[in-house]
Amino acid sequence: MRDFNGIFMRFGIYNMRNISTWLSILVEFSLLWPCIMSMYFLNIPTQETKLGNRVRVKRGWIWEPLYVTEEQEVKKPMYVGQLKTDSGGHDVSIRYVLFGDGAGTIFVMNEYTGKISVLKKLDREEKPFYTLRAQALNRVTGVPVEAESEFVIKVLDINDNEPKFINEPYIAEVSEMSPKGMYVTQVIAIDKDDPANGNNARLVYSILQGQPQFSIEIKSGIIRVASQIDRETKDQYQVIVQAKDMIGDAGALSTTTTVIINVLDVNDNAPKFPQKTYEMSIIESAIVGEIVGTVLAYDIDIGKNAEITYSMDERGDYNMFNISTDRLTQEGIITLNKLVDFESRNRRYNIQVRAENTNKPELFDMATIRIYVVDVDEPPVFLERKYFMEIPENVPVGSYVGSVTAKDPDNINTIIRYDILHNKLSKLFEIDPNNGSIFTVKSLDREVDLWHNITLTATEAKSPAYVSHVCVYIQVMDVNDNPPQLQNLPDLYVCEKSRIGQTVYTVTAVDKDEPETSHPFSFTQPPEESIIANFTITDNEDNTATILTAQEGYSSQDNPLYYLTVIISDNGSPSLSSTSTLTIKVCDCGIDNNTESCGKGGYFLNFMNSGVIIAISVFILLILVLALLVHVRCQKNHNIMSEKGEDLKENIVKYDDEGGGEEDTEAFDITGLRHHTVMRERKPKRTIRTDIQSMYRLSLGLGPDVAIFKEFLSEKLEEANTDKSVLPLDYLHCYAFEGTGSPAGSLSSLSFTETSVSEIDTFY
């Protein structure tokens, strides 16, 4: 029905204004519709048959260039171009169909004419072209009348994008004093517009800020040094660079970026003193090394280029002071090198100080420093910083050692008082407070203390607060007062089979005195021993002497010990000597005739063989006899004591249990306490109370005691009372029946009635 509407439109049906006529035509058309359709479809096979009998002429697409300019505002479909077949545009039987990118949403095609329209604004930077496909179909059958064709709609570029710098931020460095044309850095910008479409994406660079120090190449964006730059004037530049498209033509778009250029320091500046002359002062009592003052020079360079080293020109009074460099603060520290004295003529000193660049000594500056000495009230000063004195040992008490002198530097007529700071060693000396003379107060011995160190003080008589100190070192000189002595002398042995002239031992002597005055020593024998001698002494003249045998063989039986007298003399003035007696033991040295085995028991066996063993045997026998006598007597006393109280002392005394009251006493068998091996006679009884009861039991009212236990206690009490050979206090060893407790709360407490106590007292 839609196809016929087109036919009606061609014939001007729509121009009919008479509605009735229009309605009649519609009725007639409806009646004729079946016939028309049958004729139409019957005609199709005839055409196909004709096509089969003859070659069909190929039809093609007729193209137009298809372009869309980007960023165009589209309020209604905007015509782009047309696609049609070469069969002509009036064939109403052909229907055009569009496929591909944006078909139906961005682009539409008129199915009758093949005209293509765009529906919305496009952006080339988002999509530069669209690929679509078109197809021509038979409107009735839907059979393609043309092969499917692919085409492209290009989006034309306009200059709608400004350049953009990449790799931001830009930070560069350049050394000061760099020559013109020195490369600094490069900036790069990009433009999203189409570089192939005119000059939309062609950029040029320029500097908006940063001239005349820097310049930029128009096309590459390379920044170079344009004029000499000085870091001390400005150490950082912010160069603003502009990038513009369309080669800067009218309507061009642009953007800017900032390039931070840091200027690197070059060591091109010398240190400078703020002033050419400095004035300082120092008190006359200052010690060596004390700080006088500081100076500071400035170098406008930075880092290592600004490091300064201070020195002193060898002019003027340079030797009185030193100067050093503080690396942290870059100050020159002036210190005192020698002591100054206000009372001397030099009360002002001039020095020349040099401040030079550490890395470039040719860059320097000079300054003059005037140093004034300030007077102060000073304590006395000793004429020497320390004193050394000597005194012989063993000098009499009160001997003069030496003297010290101190003066007041402010007034030479000031009276000075001297004293000793006493310590353990200074008690050996005393000093005259008026003239500083030192004397001994005790005897000195070099062998005990070689040096004595004392500290003296000097004080102004009018100003005791001002005190100065000095050390005095007193050396005790040696006097030959110690005779030589033998050193480290072991046990000496001589073999029985020794021959004349054999070495027995080499002795060594020492002397507490100094070697220079007492060595070497001489070794001799007394004249009486040298005539008839068993041994001889040979002086080796090196403070040693060798003992030699003087006879053929020695007998341990006849004479096991020999004594040798040695006289040792030194070469002092006067000479001192000592006499030592050596004991030489005779030893059976065995086959090898070696004395090494003598100290391991050989001599002891020989000594035993000489009769000492008999004496030891007699002594041991006497000890055994004495021990036997003591044993016999002790045994006799033991039998007597055991007969009297064996049952009680060996059995009852071991009973240390508190007991369990009635149950305990009833369970206890008294017969086990008796010693059946000892027979004793019954002694006559003495009238005593046999009804002794525990006071604790009576207090508790526990009933009568066991009869057999009461009988046992009574018997023991009777034996103790009638035994005349025992001391009266023996009754304290008697026992009473304990029961379950006692008034005293402890074991073995006795409870007596008044009657029993009185009877015992009467008996004794």
Side-chain angles (χ1 to χ4, degrees):
M1 191 67 183
R2 183 178 177 183
D3 296 335
F4 285 102
N5 288 336
I7 297 174
F8 295 153
M9 290 175 65
R10 284 181 177 271
F11 288 91
I13 296 176
Y14 292 107
N15 296 327
M16 301 176 68
R17 298 181 179 178
N18 193 330
I19 297 176
S20 59
T21 305
W22 168 252
L23 292 175
S24 62
I25 292 174
L26 288 177
V27 172
E28 292 179 358
F29 182 77
S30 62
L31 294 175
L32 294 175
W33 174 252
C35 297
I36 296 173
M37 293 300 298
S38 61
M39 292 177 64
Y40 179 78
F41 287 106
L42 288 174
N43 191 31
I44 293 174
T46 304
Q47 293 178 353
E48 291 177 355
T49 303
K50 291 179 180 180
L51 289 173
N53 296 331
R54 58 188 176 90
V55 179
R56 181 175 180 273
V57 179
K58 183 178 180 181
R59 294 182 295 179
W61 291 94
I62 299 175
W63 293 89
E64 292 182 8
L66 301 178
Y67 299 99
V68 177
T69 303
E70 67 171 335
E71 302 298 337
Q72 284 186 331
E73 295 291 337
V74 179
K75 296 182 179 180
K76 61 181 181 178
M78 184 175 63
Y79 176 76
V80 176
Q82 185 178 18
L83 294 180
K84 59 183 178 179
T85 65
D86 56 3
S87 62
H90 300 287
D91 191 352
V92 296
S93 64
I94 297 175
R95 183 167 65 91
Y96 295 96
V97 182
L98 187 65
F99 304 96
D101 292 342
T105 57
I106 299 176
F107 301 99
V108 294
M109 175 183 282
N110 190 302
E111 64 180 1
Y112 296 105
T113 61
K115 293 182 178 180
I116 301 173
S117 300
V118 64
L119 299 178
K120 62 181 181 179
K121 182 172 64 174
L122 302 180
D123 186 0
R124 189 202 69 83
E125 286 71 37
E126 181 179 347
K127 192 173 182 65
F129 60 88
Y130 294 85
T131 302
L132 299 122
R133 301 187 309 278
Q135 196 173 32
L137 305 175
N138 186 289
R139 187 177 296 276
V140 177
T141 63
V143 177
V145 297
E146 291 288 350
E148 184 178 296
S149 177
E150 185 178 84
F151 62 95
V152 175
I153 299 177
K154 293 184 177 181
V155 182
L156 297 179
D157 181 56
I158 64 172
N159 190 23
D160 61 336
N161 288 279
E162 62 183 16
K164 297 290 183 182
F165 283 98
I166 61 175
N167 301 326
E168 291 183 308
Y170 292 99
I171 300 176
E173 294 178 344
V174 63
S175 298
E176 64 173 332
M177 314 300 293
S178 295
K180 294 181 180 180
M182 173 70 73
Y183 172 86
V184 179
T185 188
Q186 182 180 15
V187 295
I188 300 175
I190 59 174
D191 196 322
K192 293 183 179 180
D193 292 327
D194 187 2
N197 185 15
N199 297 325
N200 291 346
R202 297 182 63 181
L203 306 179
V204 293
Y205 299 93
S206 61
I207 291 180
L208 302 182
Q209 177 182 308
Q211 294 176 333
Q213 288 81 11
F214 302 96
S215 63
I216 191 169
E217 294 182 0
I218 295 177
K219 295 183 178 180
S220 64
I222 295 176
I223 300 175
R224 300 183 182 275
V225 176
S227 63
Q228 190 175 32
I229 52 180
D230 185 7
R231 190 204 65 82
E232 287 72 37
T233 302
K234 190 173 183 179
D235 60 355
Q236 188 183 82
Y237 292 87
Q238 293 184 355
V239 179
I240 299 177
V241 178
Q242 181 187 65
K244 183 179 289 188
D245 57 16
M246 295 183 67
I247 321 180
D249 294 339
L253 301 178
S254 64
T255 187
T256 61
T257 187
T258 300
V259 181
I260 298 176
I261 301 176
N262 295 314
V263 182
L264 302 180
D265 183 54
V266 174
N267 194 4
D268 59 341
N269 292 280
K272 295 292 183 183
F273 283 105
Q275 56 195 70
K276 290 299 181 181
T277 303
Y278 294 86
E279 291 186 353
M280 301 177 183
S281 62
I282 185 171
I283 59 176
E284 61 173 336
S285 60
I287 61 175
V288 173
E290 188 168 332
I291 297 177
V292 180
T294 60
V295 292
L296 179 62
Y298 296 93
D299 193 328
I300 58 178
D301 293 325
I302 59 174
K304 292 185 177 181
N305 295 333
E307 292 182 357
I308 301 173
T309 301
Y310 296 90
S311 61
M312 197 178 298
D313 268 8
E314 295 184 359
R315 293 184 294 173
D317 302 310
Y318 71 94
N319 59 344
M320 295 293 297
F321 304 93
N322 287 326
I323 188 168
S324 60
T325 304
D326 188 333
R327 293 300 176 186
L328 183 62
T329 62
Q330 290 291 290
E331 291 179 316
I333 303 174
I334 302 171
T335 56
L336 187 64
N337 188 41
K338 294 182 179 180
L339 295 177
V340 293
D341 187 7
F342 180 81
E343 285 70 30
S344 65
R345 295 181 179 180
N346 293 331
R347 298 184 179 180
R348 189 186 74 176
Y349 298 91
N350 295 324
I351 58 175
Q352 300 293 321
V353 175
R354 175 188 177 99
E356 63 183 28
N357 191 286
T358 303
N359 300 305
K360 277 189 176 182
E362 62 272 15
L363 301 176
F364 66 92
D365 193 17
M366 299 291 296
T368 301
I369 301 178
R370 297 172 183 170
I371 301 175
Y372 297 90
V373 180
V374 179
D375 184 28
V376 295
D377 190 3
E378 301 174 90
V381 177
F382 285 95
L383 299 186
E384 297 182 19
R385 298 184 62 183
K386 52 187 175 180
Y387 291 86
F388 291 91
M389 300 180 183
E390 296 179 349
I391 185 172
E393 63 177 331
N394 296 331
V395 296
V397 175
S399 298
Y400 174 78
V401 180
S403 61
V404 297
T405 304
K407 293 183 178 181
D408 184 3
D410 300 317
N411 186 358
I412 59 176
N413 296 322
T414 302
I415 299 175
I416 306 298
R417 302 298 184 191
Y418 302 93
D419 196 5
I420 296 179
L421 291 180
H422 288 288
N423 52 33
K424 181 179 179 181
L425 298 178
S426 64
K427 294 180 181 179
L428 301 175
F429 306 93
E430 66 179 8
I431 189 171
D432 189 317
N434 298 316
N435 58 22
S437 299
I438 303 172
F439 301 91
T440 62
V441 294
K442 291 184 180 180
S443 298
L444 303 177
D445 187 357
R446 189 201 69 87
E447 285 69 41
V448 176
D449 290 305
L450 176 61
W451 285 91
H452 296 277
N453 304 333
I454 60 176
T455 302
L456 305 182
T457 61
T459 308
E460 294 182 12
K462 295 181 179 180
S463 302
Y466 293 96
V467 181
S468 59
H469 302 77
V470 71
C471 292
V472 178
Y473 304 95
I474 302 173
Q475 182 180 10
V476 181
M477 306 304 294
D478 184 49
V479 174
N480 192 22
D481 57 347
N482 291 281
Q485 301 289 339
L486 290 178
Q487 181 185 27
N488 300 329
L489 191 63
D491 294 336
L492 302 181
Y493 299 94
V494 63
C495 295
E496 290 181 339
K497 299 178 182 180
S498 298
R499 296 184 179 275
I500 297 176
Q502 288 187 348
T503 300
V504 177
Y505 188 74
T506 300
V507 294
T508 303
V510 295
D511 194 335
K512 294 182 180 180
D513 294 324
E514 292 185 0
E516 293 78 8
T517 61
S518 60
H519 293 183
F521 306 133
S522 60
F523 299 83
T524 59
Q525 289 180 272
E528 61 273 12
E529 289 189 9
S530 61
I531 298 174
I532 303 174
N534 297 310
F535 301 93
T536 60
I537 297 177
T538 300
D539 192 346
N540 299 325
E541 297 183 355
D542 59 353
N543 296 338
T544 65
T546 303
I547 302 173
L548 303 174
T549 58
Q551 67 182 30
E552 288 285 342
Y554 298 87
S555 175
S556 60
Q557 297 293 335
D558 299 337
N559 193 2
L561 298 175
Y562 288 90
Y563 300 96
L564 177 62
T565 303
V566 181
I567 301 174
I568 312 169
S569 303
D570 58 21
N571 64 347
S573 180
S575 178
L576 299 179
S577 63
S578 65
T579 302
S580 300
T581 300
L582 306 181
T583 302
I584 303 176
K585 305 171 185 178
V586 180
C587 175
D588 182 7
C589 299
I591 299 175
D592 56 356
N593 203 29
N594 190 350
T595 60
E596 291 182 359
S597 61
C598 295
K600 301 180 180 178
Y603 173 74
F604 179 76
L605 294 177
N606 293 333
F607 184 72
M608 291 293 103
N609 294 333
S610 63
V612 179
I613 188 170
I614 298 174
I616 295 177
S617 300
V618 173
F619 178 74
I620 293 175
L621 182 59
L622 292 175
I623 295 297
L624 291 176
V625 172
L626 181 61
L628 181 60
L629 294 175
V630 173
H631 175 70
V632 171
R633 183 167 181 81
C634 291
Q635 185 67 26
K636 183 178 180 180
N637 295 335
H638 175 70
N639 292 335
I640 296 173
M641 296 302 296
S642 62
E643 185 175 327
K644 294 180 178 180
E646 187 174 12
D647 288 344
L648 180 63
K649 294 182 179 179
E650 291 187 0
N651 294 296
I652 299 301
V653 75
K654 295 181 180 179
Y655 180 76
D656 56 358
D657 193 359
E658 183 67 25
E662 288 291 337
E663 296 178 359
D664 184 46
T665 57
E666 292 176 359
F668 187 79
D669 188 2
I670 194 63
T671 60
L673 300 176
R674 297 185 180 274
H675 198 287
H676 299 286
T677 60
V678 179
M679 300 299 294
R680 62 175 65 89
E681 296 180 356
R682 296 283 297 180
K683 295 184 179 181
K685 294 185 178 180
R686 183 175 178 273
T687 304
I688 59 173
R689 292 182 61 91
T690 59
D691 56 349
I692 300 175
Q693 297 182 357
S694 171
M695 298 297 294
Y696 180 66
R697 182 180 295 276
L698 292 174
S699 64
L700 296 176
L702 298 178
D705 295 329
V706 179
I708 189 172
F709 196 73
K710 294 173 61 178
E711 181 182 355
F712 167 76
L713 294 177
S714 299
E715 181 183 353
K716 294 301 177 182
L717 181 60
E718 180 183 1
E719 290 178 1
N721 293 335
T722 58
D723 192 355
K724 302 291 185 178
S725 62
V726 182
L727 293 176
L729 295 179
D730 189 45
Y731 75 92
L732 294 177
H733 295 285
C734 297
Y735 293 83
F737 179 59
E738 185 66 24
T740 58
S742 66
S746 62
L747 293 176
S748 302
S749 58
L750 299 178
S751 301
F752 298 100
T753 61
E754 295 178 358
T755 305
S756 62
V757 173
S758 63
E759 290 179 355
I760 294 173
D761 295 339
T762 304
F763 176 76
Y764 289 105

